[in-house]
Amino acid sequence: YTWGEFADDGAANAWEDGRLKTADLLADGSIWWSGTLPDVAAGDFFAEVSAETQACAGKDAAGFAGRIHGANLNSGYALEVSCDGNYRLRKFSEGSVAVLRDWTASEAIVKGPNATNRLGLLAHGDQVTPFANGVPLGPSVQDASFAYGIFGLYAMALETPGAVVYFDDFGLWNVAP
């Protein structure tokens, strides 16, 4: 699958050694995901990707989004797994952000810098379930806002300017309705 590459003053996403390198250059909480091509869109799916977080602290995070759509590709569901072993699930909707599940600790998440976690999202109808390393992260969240879209990957710096996450081995399975 092909992921978009771009760079500006806040973020840089580029291919490096066969993996997608995402960097959040400013510790401001803003994100810039790299999205898949439109032909990789899905509605009901299970998707996962390996995320290798480099230098990080606290809530610096690797992000994996699904059902991304809209004119500016700024709507979708996003799982974030932080350096300190927490996760959250958010909904982005044309510029606004809603927290569907706030930061929650999970023993399934490998903590710290230079840690690799396998991030997963299961979307089936109005149910969205986040996963880390094959383990569901709490119960599903019910939200019927988005039914179809592409995927996105990003690094999120809240404490470490220049936070970097390498992504590799994206897998996608369609789920029968």
Side-chain angles (χ1 to χ4, degrees):
Y1 300 106
T2 301
W3 299 92
E5 296 181 86
F6 71 92
D8 67 12
D9 293 339
N13 296 339
W15 282 106
E16 185 176 288
D17 297 326
R19 305 181 296 172
L20 181 68
K21 176 184 179 183
T22 62
D24 189 352
L25 306 175
L26 306 172
D28 61 2
S30 295
I31 64 163
W32 297 94
W33 52 48
S34 177
T36 56
L37 294 174
D39 60 348
V40 186
D44 289 341
F45 64 84
F46 178 72
E48 59 183 5
V49 66
S50 293
E52 181 186 327
T53 305
Q54 302 300 292
C56 65
K59 295 296 185 280
D60 294 333
F64 180 36
R67 291 186 175 171
I68 298 171
H69 68 284
N72 296 314
L73 296 178
N74 61 354
S75 297
Y77 300 107
L79 165 63
E80 296 162 341
V81 173
S82 66
C83 190
D84 64 4
N86 285 267
Y87 75 95
R88 75 175 167 183
L89 190 62
R90 296 195 291 171
K91 175 175 70 173
F92 292 81
S93 184
E94 298 181 16
S96 67
V97 182
V99 175
L100 300 176
R101 181 169 298 136
D102 210 352
W103 291 114
T104 304
S106 174
E107 292 184 16
I109 298 168
V110 180
K111 297 179 188 181
N114 304 311
T116 299
N117 285 286
R118 187 92 174 140
L119 309 183
L121 285 171
L122 172 63
H124 191 238
D126 65 355
Q127 303 292 309
V128 179
T129 309
F131 284 77
N133 302 310
V135 177
L137 299 172
S140 298
V141 172
Q142 185 175 10
D143 188 278
S145 301
F146 312 126
Y148 191 82
I150 65 170
F151 299 90
L153 304 172
Y154 59 95
M156 182 180 67
L158 290 177
E159 300 180 37
T160 308
V164 171
V165 179
Y166 286 95
F167 291 96
D168 202 3
D169 299 322
F170 175 76
L172 171 61
W173 297 264
N174 290 308
V175 175

